[in-house]
């Protein structure tokens, strides 16, 4: 055998080994692709029901939000009506009630002045700004002692 024939055999063996490695690599790649295809199919089978459930939950949440929005609108309307009613009652009855209360207070003060003095055994006491003063020590409006 000549040098050219030996070189040709070496090249042929090298190509045979290279093709063998490529064939093994392609076989493993095909096996990996089949496993990946099965995995994607399984994920798809499980994901479709989950997406349907999520879609139903979102629709239910939207329905509840719509209901809460309607309730909030009604509460706002009731609040504004209550405010208007309160204003109306205050303006209608507020002035006369204050006048009646002032009149009643004046009548009590007028009738209270006619009562006889408190028993001498125990003087009446009045609290003024955190201290207790007996009725006798209390100054009247003119600055004189009673």
């Amino acid at each position: 055998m000549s040098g050219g024939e030996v070189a040709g055999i070496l090249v042929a063996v090298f190509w045979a080994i290279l093709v063998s490695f490529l064939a093994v690599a392609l076989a493993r790649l095909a096996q990996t692709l089949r496993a990946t295809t099965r995995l994607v199919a399984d994920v798809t089978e499980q994901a479709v029901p989950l997406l349907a459930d999520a879609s139903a939950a979102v629709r239910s949440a939207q329905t509840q939000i719509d209901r809460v929005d309607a309730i909030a609108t009604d509460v706002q309307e009731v609040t504004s009506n209550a405010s208007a009613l309160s204003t109306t009652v205050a303006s209608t009855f507020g002035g006369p009630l204050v006048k009646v209360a002032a009149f009643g207070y004046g009548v009590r003060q007028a009738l209270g002045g006619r009562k006889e003095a408190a028993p001498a055994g125990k003087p009446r006491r009045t609290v003024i700004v955190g201290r207790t003063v007996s009725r006798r020590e209390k100054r009247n409006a003119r600055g004189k002692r009673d």
Side-chain angles (χ1 to χ4, degrees):
M1 275 210 304
S2 71
E5 292 175 349
V6 173
I9 292 176
L10 284 175
V11 169
V13 170
F14 173 73
W15 278 108
I17 293 173
L18 181 63
V19 168
S20 303
F21 283 134
L22 288 176
V24 170
L26 286 175
R28 288 188 179 168
L29 181 62
Q31 184 182 10
T32 303
L33 287 175
R34 279 192 299 271
T36 304
T37 303
R38 272 187 262 125
L39 180 64
V40 168
D42 291 343
V43 167
T44 302
E45 287 176 13
Q46 294 176 1
V48 169
L50 288 175
L51 289 175
D53 291 345
S55 176
V58 167
R59 278 194 294 274
S60 174
Q62 182 62 37
T63 303
Q64 296 300 325
I65 287 173
D66 291 341
R67 288 180 184 171
V68 168
D69 187 37
I71 291 170
T73 302
D74 292 343
V75 167
Q76 184 178 9
E77 184 178 335
V78 167
T79 302
S80 65
N81 289 342
S83 176
L85 179 64
S86 172
T87 303
T88 302
V89 168
S91 65
T92 303
F93 296 114
L97 283 178
V98 168
K99 291 176 183 176
V100 168
F103 178 75
Y105 178 75
V107 169
R108 277 195 313 258
Q109 291 297 321
L111 293 178
R114 292 185 181 175
K115 289 184 181 177
E116 294 186 24
K122 195 171 192 183
R124 288 180 44 184
R125 299 201 177 264
T126 307
V127 176
I128 300 175
V129 191
R131 66 184 185 116
T132 303
V133 180
S134 69
R135 183 102 173 142
R136 292 184 195 121
E137 294 174 356
K138 185 178 177 186
R139 296 185 183 266
N140 63 15
R142 295 184 199 149
K144 298 178 183 176
R145 289 187 179 255
D146 287 338

